[in-house]
Amino acid sequence: QSRWVTNQGPLAEELESRLKEYLGVKHLLLVSNGTIALQLAIKSLGLKGEIITTPFSYVATATSIMWENCTPVFCDIEKNTFCIDASKIENLITQNTSAILPTHVYGFPCDTESIEKIAVQNQLKVIYDGAHAFGVHLDKRSLLSYGDISTVSFHATKLFHTIEGGAVITNDDELAEKMFLYRAFGHKDEEYLSIGINARTSELHSAIGLCNFPRVESFIDSRRELNSLYRELLTGKPIGFPKIPEDISYNFSYFPILLKNETTVARIIEGLSLKGINTRRYFFPSLNTLEYLNPSACPVSENIASRILCLPMYQELTKDDVVRICGSLSELLDSI
Ligand SMILES: *Cc1c(COP(=O)(O)O)cnc(C)c1O
């Protein structure tokens, strides 16, 4: 009806301003997905050389580094939060290091304090891949407000989504202006000012976002309940659960479990799938093992990636579903 379907229309503007207010950040630019958000972030900071990153993330984190002609240097993860192990970053810094790019895995916050300290001491930039971090608050601050730039994905599989989409977030005016230009070919009206790409979202995607946005708190509430039901029903089984940090308000976006070994993971996936229950090895493989991504050893990440399994967690999942999933899972575990 508005006859305005793309090119930063009124719905994109409205979603941007609602998200900015909700997150309490100065600049948020909607983009077409969470991967191009990472690329815009790397490009706008002018990063070169090596970027220290995590091997326990979705492949987009590392490939966007390479796509921007930088080299990912993998720093192993911490076994409780699955986030980058900040105590191992400094050993990896060389003359060529330009930035640190960690992921807030499942919305668990990275050690932002230590990372900031290391970045300041070594004059490095920090980009957080906050694809999972929407709705998480640390010290009453959105987790997406940390670093020089935070990125987020609004892909259909994420807690808050616009089908395809994402955003770059920063409190820095200059970076925001750069990314604003990069998002739309480097030109503003009739002025051609810089290089750029097409990273825009459409009015249709923004409309989906505006429909989903008011429901985010209820999404989180129902996931919180499902999370505790899962934990209650699976207590006493040979399964490890990550500990949710106490000092944060969490989004309960995923339900990862740790199994004994890779063989168990394979059996559980197969057994559950025969009952119509879909699980996901997320994240697998550990990115440091991919030949095309500057491989190196990261034993903790490789171990966690080989044993992790995400159980179903989504809006329409009911408590009865969780009871059925846990019943099948328990039976399988008992039979192994
Ligand atoms: C989903 C995801 C991405 C990529 O986002 P897209 O919107 O699918 O491009 C990047 N990093 C992490 C950690 C993700 O989970």
Side-chain angles (χ1 to χ4, degrees):
Q1 278 175 342
S2 74
R3 310 188 69 79
W4 193 340
V5 291
T6 188
N7 288 9
Q8 200 59 16
L11 298 177
E13 287 288 317
E14 186 181 341
L15 183 58
E16 272 185 1
S17 69
R18 288 222 199 158
L19 293 175
K20 260 190 286 197
E21 190 189 322
Y22 171 75
L23 299 169
V25 291
K26 196 163 174 199
H27 303 286
L28 176 146
L29 296 143
L30 289 175
V31 294
S32 42
N33 59 67
T35 306
I36 200 115
L38 286 164
Q39 290 171 218
L40 289 182
I42 294 167
K43 183 80 87 188
S44 68
L45 287 164
L47 302 183
K48 299 253 173 330
E50 296 167 4
I51 300 179
I52 297 174
T53 188
T54 174
F56 195 68
S57 186
Y58 186 57
V59 71
T61 315
T63 47
S64 31
I65 292 175
M66 294 203 79
W67 200 270
E68 293 305 325
N69 287 323
C70 296
T71 307
V73 172
F74 293 109
C75 175
D76 211 348
I77 58 167
E78 200 262 308
K79 68 180 192 312
N80 295 316
T81 60
F82 309 144
C83 292
I84 202 163
D85 186 340
S87 73
K88 293 188 177 146
I89 294 176
E90 272 178 312
N91 270 340
L92 297 169
I93 297 176
T94 70
Q95 280 185 330
N96 297 324
T97 310
S98 59
I100 310 170
L101 199 174
T103 298
H104 300 298
V105 180
Y106 311 128
F108 298 145
C110 294
D111 181 353
T112 50
E113 218 172 291
S114 305
I115 292 169
E116 186 173 338
K117 230 181 253 168
I118 296 166
V120 169
Q121 272 167 8
N122 297 279
Q123 293 179 305
L124 303 176
K125 303 294 183 188
V126 179
I127 300 171
Y128 284 109
D129 182 340
H132 297 179
F134 195 85
V136 178
H137 296 261
L138 181 62
D139 297 329
K140 301 216 156 47
R141 227 179 108 178
S142 166
L143 194 49
L144 292 171
S145 66
Y146 288 79
D148 292 287
I149 301 175
S150 278
T151 65
V152 61
S153 165
F154 299 145
H155 182 257
T157 54
K158 314 295 194 218
L159 176 79
F160 166 71
H161 81 89
T162 61
I163 303 181
E164 288 279 359
V168 286
I169 294 154
T170 184
N171 287 318
D172 184 301
D173 298 342
E174 223 171 287
L175 286 174
E177 178 64 22
K178 264 194 188 168
M179 292 192 288
F180 180 89
L181 285 172
Y182 289 172
R183 178 173 67 176
F185 312 103
H187 82 98
K188 210 167 147 185
D189 306 322
E190 296 307 309
E191 279 188 294
Y192 289 76
L193 300 160
S194 79
I195 58 156
I197 199 161
N198 181 354
R200 285 177 310 219
T201 190
S202 79
E203 287 292 278
L204 288 169
H205 292 91
S206 305
I208 296 285
L210 287 166
C211 292
N212 279 331
F213 180 65
R215 302 157 69 205
V216 167
E217 291 306 321
S218 81
F219 292 168
I220 296 175
D221 287 344
S222 64
R223 283 171 196 233
R224 180 185 295 112
E225 279 184 32
L226 297 174
N227 185 296
S228 41
L229 183 59
Y230 262 130
R231 280 174 190 250
E232 187 188 312
L233 295 173
L234 294 174
T235 302
K237 299 286 162 195
I239 291 177
F241 302 111
K243 195 166 170 296
I244 298 169
E246 271 158 24
D247 51 349
I248 65 168
S249 89
Y250 186 52
N251 65 6
F252 301 92
S253 47
Y254 297 90
F255 194 78
I257 58 170
L258 274 176
L259 295 165
K260 204 170 107 208
N261 53 40
E262 201 158 8
T263 319
T264 312
V265 172
R267 288 193 185 161
I268 297 293
I269 292 174
E270 197 193 343
L272 289 180
S273 131
L274 288 172
K275 309 220 161 182
I277 300 164
N278 247 321
T279 53
R280 187 169 178 204
R281 296 186 79 182
Y282 192 67
F283 302 113
F284 178 84
S286 186
L287 301 176
N288 62 299
T289 63
L290 293 174
E291 273 314 313
Y292 57 92
L293 288 179
N294 195 31
S296 61
C298 293
V300 182
S301 175
E302 287 164 46
N303 177 279
I304 301 283
S306 73
R307 301 192 291 126
I308 200 92
L309 192 66
C310 284
L311 299 182
M313 181 57 89
Y314 53 92
Q315 258 60 268
E316 296 77 14
L317 188 70
T318 64
K319 288 189 173 171
D320 287 346
D321 289 328
V322 172
V323 171
R324 188 169 71 88
I325 293 164
C326 292
S328 303
L329 178 57
S330 302
E331 243 173 63
L332 285 162
L333 285 168
D334 290 343
S335 74
I336 287 172

